[in-house]
Amino acid sequence: MSSAAPEEPTENTPSEEQDQTSNRIIDRTRDTWRHIVIWLLASALIGLTGVGVAIASDYANEANLWLQEKLHWWLLVLVPAAFALFAWLTNRFFQGTQGSGIPQTIAVIDDPDDRKKSNLLSVRNLLGKIAMLLSGLVVGASIGREGPTVQIGASISHAFYGYGPFKTAEHRRTLVLAGGAAGIAAAFNTPLAGVMFAIEELNKKYPFNAHSSTLLTVIIAGLISLGIQGNYTYFGKTNVILDLSQHVYAIFLCGIVGGAAGGLFSLLTQKFTFLVPERLRTFIYQSPYVFAAICGLLVAILGLATNGLTFGTSYLPTRMTLEADGSLFVWYYGICKFFATLLSTLSGIPGGLFAPTLSVGAGLGDTLSAILPAIAPHGAIIILVMVAYLSGVTRSPLTSFIITMEMTGSNHMLLSLMITALIASGVSRFISPVPLYHALAQRYAYPASPKKKRTTSSPDDPAGES
């Protein structure tokens, strides 16, 4: 019985090889065009949304001034009720929008799973974030738009994950990273800060490609912001000059003071529930909305005690102080703004930290200049403590000095800002060893096993992200 002869491998004809090559070229071209269209569309949407949020935030701040004039003492009722309502809406309908949104963005970037999850970054959370942010500014919460704009930009770019060539966790990381960085750029017309924020804060665990799509997204979003709002600086421009040869000790003093204060804010935000008595801790766990209302009441009291200066971002008095090179603050403004921002953060309502943090630094710098007027010019001290306090809170010195420089137009103080930010970051490390945003991101981190159900809050933080 003879066995069948083995089949000989068939060779493709020249025509079939040409067809296969053509199909590969067509598929590659289609993927390339999908890639380009998605990036351009996402970048444009992030830029337009960022500018829209910025303009709406200005109107929200004006609405708060109207409320201060018309209601005044009734704010002691309105603000606590609003805080409780925002905390309830956030936990009931918009889980994952608590706080600034930067920790949530970091958690999604660090997720190794290829599956698309929409509990932290989604269109629903995007809309909720915008609504809660603007409502918080209207009632006078000491919050800013920069962190929320990071989560908003990341949510827009994340919405495109799963389409076209974007199928892996690495693709998702690139999309979210670009969206978050572009959000910073569009929020304050600070493209350099957007790129540095992506490198230093969002992308700590991964190598960054300076020629990547992230840079392109930041540029497009920045151009849209520039085209609509013009080439502006958020806190105006200052002409103050600091001679390093004569005032080098002022840099060290501002770095130490601002870094220590920023480190204290970071520590209190991370460890608040561990630092309070057990009875109060139990009360916070069991009554988070009452706790949010108490935070709102204290914010209202601080606002009225400072004649409204601590309400909202405190953008206007900070800008006027810098441009006039003279004090518009009461001596205790910096301390009051510190606690107003801390209480707004601990309450769990959506809102960012960058603008209020810079305003706290301006207030502390104003007080330091009043105590030691001979150490350096008044405006220089304010800017140095601003960058020091921001660096102390975030432990991101490069982002801190770049965003301060771009938001105040103080390019001529570049070296002084760099040194101060580095000193402040080092001082803050001794007080709060773990960087703020990455410590908070652990509360949103996805578990290693995809079978485990994930929650958006921890028992140590009943109100969500601080």
Side-chain angles (χ1 to χ4, degrees):
M1 185 174 180
S2 62
S3 59
E7 293 184 3
E8 302 233 352
T10 59
E11 294 185 0
N12 293 332
T13 64
S15 176
E16 291 174 337
E17 291 181 352
Q18 289 178 358
D19 290 340
Q20 292 177 358
T21 302
S22 298
N23 290 335
R24 284 196 296 269
I25 294 175
I26 292 173
D27 291 341
R28 193 174 302 150
T29 303
R30 183 169 55 245
D31 286 344
T32 300
W33 276 108
R34 285 179 178 174
H35 186 277
I36 293 172
V37 169
I38 287 175
W39 276 115
L40 292 177
L41 181 58
S43 303
L45 288 174
I46 293 168
L48 291 171
T49 305
V51 172
V53 170
I55 295 173
S57 297
D58 292 338
Y59 283 111
N61 289 324
E62 292 180 7
N64 177 253
L65 293 176
W66 183 85
L67 288 178
Q68 292 181 48
E69 180 182 352
K70 298 298 181 181
L71 299 183
H72 198 62
W73 292 109
W74 281 103
L75 292 174
L76 294 175
V77 176
L78 174 63
V79 179
F83 268 53
L85 176 62
F86 299 156
W88 179 79
L89 289 172
T90 299
N91 288 328
R92 178 66 178 83
F93 299 104
F94 304 109
Q95 275 283 353
T97 63
Q98 295 93 335
S100 73
I102 293 174
Q104 294 92 316
T105 304
I106 293 173
V108 174
I109 289 174
D110 291 344
D111 180 22
D113 193 355
D114 289 341
R115 293 180 304 163
K116 184 174 183 178
K117 308 180 186 77
S118 299
N119 58 325
L120 296 179
L121 301 180
S122 66
V123 175
R124 177 178 179 175
N125 278 1
L126 181 155
L127 297 176
K129 193 79 171 186
I130 294 175
M132 295 297 102
L133 166 66
L134 297 178
S135 300
L137 289 173
V138 168
V139 300
S142 184
I143 55 178
R145 66 176 187 256
E146 54 296 318
T149 311
V150 169
Q151 188 176 15
I152 290 167
S155 295
I156 292 174
S157 58
H158 182 262
F160 291 94
Y161 180 62
Y163 297 95
F166 301 102
K167 304 289 187 182
T168 67
E170 184 178 354
H171 290 144
R172 184 190 61 244
R173 179 176 64 83
T174 304
L175 280 169
V176 173
L177 181 70
I184 283 284
F188 293 115
N189 189 32
T190 53
L192 288 178
V195 174
M196 187 54 64
F197 180 77
I199 298 173
E200 189 176 31
E201 192 63 60
L202 298 180
N203 207 43
K204 282 182 182 289
K205 299 180 180 179
Y206 307 94
F208 180 81
N209 182 4
H211 302 286
S212 67
S213 300
T214 302
L215 186 59
L216 175 63
T217 307
V218 170
I219 291 172
I220 294 175
L223 287 175
I224 291 175
S225 175
L226 184 65
I228 296 177
Q229 295 186 288
N231 189 20
Y232 72 99
T233 51
Y234 183 75
F235 284 122
K237 292 186 178 181
T238 175
N239 297 318
V240 66
I241 298 176
L242 185 69
D243 188 347
L244 283 176
S245 62
Q246 298 182 13
H247 303 290
V248 66
Y249 52 88
I251 292 177
F252 285 91
L253 179 61
C254 292
I256 293 170
V257 171
L264 178 62
F265 181 93
S266 175
L267 179 67
L268 291 175
T269 302
Q270 296 178 46
K271 304 294 184 181
F272 175 74
T273 53
F274 294 101
L275 298 175
V276 298
E278 184 177 354
R279 181 175 297 181
L280 178 57
R281 189 184 316 159
T282 303
F283 167 75
I284 295 172
Y285 292 159
Q286 296 177 349
S287 308
Y289 307 131
V290 176
F291 175 70
I294 293 173
C295 290
L297 175 62
L298 295 175
V299 168
I301 292 173
L302 290 170
L304 294 175
T306 56
N307 198 26
L309 290 178
T310 61
F311 282 130
T313 61
S314 302
Y315 152 78
L316 188 59
T318 303
R319 175 166 183 159
M320 293 177 65
T321 297
L322 283 171
E323 290 185 332
D325 196 24
S327 177
L328 296 178
F329 299 131
V330 291
W331 67 267
Y332 50 86
Y333 165 78
I335 299 173
C336 290
K337 186 64 177 177
F338 176 97
F339 285 106
T341 306
L342 179 64
L343 290 164
S344 298
T345 302
L346 293 175
S347 70
I349 67 173
L353 287 176
F354 275 54
T357 293
L358 288 169
S359 188
V360 172
L364 296 177
D366 181 70
T367 302
L368 181 63
S369 180
I371 296 173
L372 300 171
I375 61 172
H378 176 263
I381 293 298
I382 288 182
I383 294 176
L384 291 177
V385 180
M386 285 173 71
V387 70
Y389 183 72
L390 179 61
S391 181
V393 170
T394 64
R395 291 271 300 282
S396 300
L398 299 180
T399 301
S400 297
F401 85 74
I402 289 177
I403 200 170
T404 303
M405 180 184 69
E406 289 189 297
M407 290 175 68
T408 61
S410 53
N411 306 50
H412 47 283
M413 291 181 61
L414 175 60
L415 185 58
S416 302
L417 293 174
M418 291 174 62
I419 298 172
T420 305
L422 290 172
I423 293 172
S425 180
V427 172
S428 176
R429 186 187 300 270
F430 287 100
I431 300 173
S432 179
V434 183
L436 176 62
Y437 290 131
H438 287 267
L440 298 178
Q442 294 302 313
R443 301 174 181 177
Y444 297 94
Y446 290 96
S449 173
K451 296 181 181 180
K452 293 182 181 179
K453 185 177 180 181
R454 196 187 149 276
T455 59
T456 55
S457 62
S458 77
D460 294 330
D461 188 24
E465 185 243 331
S466 298

